Amino acid sequence: MKKTRRKKPILVTNDDGVQAPGLKVLAECLSAIGDVYIVAPDREQSAVGHSLTLRHPLRIAEVGPRMIAVEGTPTDCVLLAFYRILPEKPAAVFSGINFGHNLGDDITYSGTVSAALEATLLGIPAVAVSIGRTGEKVYYDVAAEFALKLGRKVLRTGLPKDTLLNVNLPNVPAGKIQGVAVTRQGRRSYDDVIVEKVDPRGRAYFWIGNGEPRWAEASGTDIHAIRAGKISVTPIHLDLTNHSAIEELKGWKIEK
Ligand code: MN
């Protein structure tokens, strides 16, 4: 019998939930380069950001071979996988494929990106992958193939220190992708963020998240790359400090 070299574990998680189609396609594809473990929320957790579950227990359920559903957030999943579920430290963590882009300022809300952030905090190379919602078909296979290609490179060379990759793909067939751009985070604002309605008992209620995002047109950004039909790869740093503002604030001479 031919001896196969044992592969290192790769953790795959998401914020769309363990049953999401993007997660399955990504996990299948990445099995070419690692022993894939899925540890993902048991239901959709989009826009939970980097939240942790602290006020109730985390129940887990095995829903398939090396596939665990967690009653918690994407960040909970990464922590549980790292400290309890995986047999050893994973070679990489992949989060996605998220149904919908994670671009610009929106990444601070993103459970998909936050899972990668948590992995980075644990010292594991991490990649978040998201695809656009436009059109009838979602080309998860195209995104997963790209994630695999990137994964090979990440496993070989590692990532810059304290840095994760936020990857966004236009939702088009592989042949229609116009290239790959290494980008920076863009800026966006939403119109009509809050919608007010009235319930059957006559009381007002509110709904967040209507309206079309407006994007600042700036070259070199993630949104610019997506608009040009390219795959956007943004290196995200954990340091949120605005370094250029330090000198200005020192000039305030704030006293105790
Ligand atoms: Mn999501």
Side-chain angles (χ1 to χ4, degrees):
M1 208 163 73
K2 202 179 144 197
K3 256 196 186 168
T4 48
R5 204 155 62 92
R6 205 176 60 84
K7 292 181 204 154
K8 281 266 211 173
I10 289 179
L11 172 64
V12 177
T13 189
N14 72 352
D15 77 356
D16 290 341
V18 74
Q19 302 298 344
L23 177 84
K24 193 164 172 263
V25 178
L26 180 62
E28 277 168 8
C29 215
L30 291 175
S31 66
I33 53 167
D35 259 349
V36 172
Y37 288 75
I38 294 173
V39 182
D42 65 350
R43 67 200 78 176
E44 191 182 344
Q45 294 278 351
S46 293
V48 299
H50 200 187
S51 63
L52 272 178
T53 302
L54 297 177
R55 285 175 194 83
H56 64 79
L58 291 175
R59 309 279 177 195
I60 69 172
E62 197 168 352
V63 292
R66 292 200 306 231
M67 188 177 187
I68 308 282
V70 177
E71 208 181 332
T73 68
T75 298
D76 297 333
C77 291
V78 172
L79 286 171
L80 267 178
F82 182 79
Y83 287 110
R84 284 288 180 276
I85 298 168
L86 267 52
E88 59 178 308
K89 182 176 170 174
V93 173
F94 280 79
S95 183
I97 300 163
N98 189 62
F99 177 54
H101 286 139
N102 278 302
L103 296 165
D105 310 304
D106 279 348
I107 69 168
T108 57
Y109 305 114
S110 169
T112 308
V113 175
S114 293
L117 211 58
E118 190 61 27
T120 308
L121 286 170
L122 294 168
I124 309 160
V127 180
V129 187
S130 307
I131 193 165
R133 288 169 180 258
T134 44
E136 306 244 304
K137 181 179 156 63
V138 186
Y139 292 90
Y140 289 120
D141 54 331
V142 177
E145 284 294 337
F146 182 74
L148 173 61
K149 218 184 285 178
L150 203 56
R152 287 190 204 279
K153 177 79 182 158
V154 167
L155 291 191
R156 231 178 9 246
T157 63
L159 282 174
K161 196 171 185 295
D162 298 332
T163 302
L164 66 95
L165 300 183
N166 183 33
V167 176
N168 283 275
L169 292 100
N171 185 30
V172 293
K176 292 224 165 124
I177 289 179
Q178 303 299 312
V180 180
V182 177
T183 57
R184 62 191 164 87
Q185 234 181 295
R187 298 297 311 271
R188 72 97 184 85
S189 61
Y190 282 98
D191 294 324
D192 301 325
V193 174
I194 310 252
V195 177
E196 183 173 354
K197 301 262 182 199
V198 177
D199 77 11
R201 295 190 174 81
R203 288 181 310 188
Y205 67 92
F206 303 89
W207 202 266
I208 294 176
N210 200 42
E212 279 297 300
R214 278 185 298 132
W215 293 93
E217 268 301 340
S219 66
T221 61
D222 47 11
I223 183 65
H224 198 267
I226 288 295
R227 285 213 173 129
K230 294 179 182 171
I231 298 174
S232 166
V233 179
T234 313
I236 299 290
H237 200 280
L238 286 171
D239 183 359
L240 298 179
T241 311
N242 181 357
H243 289 275
S244 63
I246 287 180
E247 280 312 307
E248 187 187 331
L249 273 162
K250 279 182 178 170
W252 285 17
K253 307 250 181 277
I254 306 167
E255 291 182 28
K256 66 176 180 183

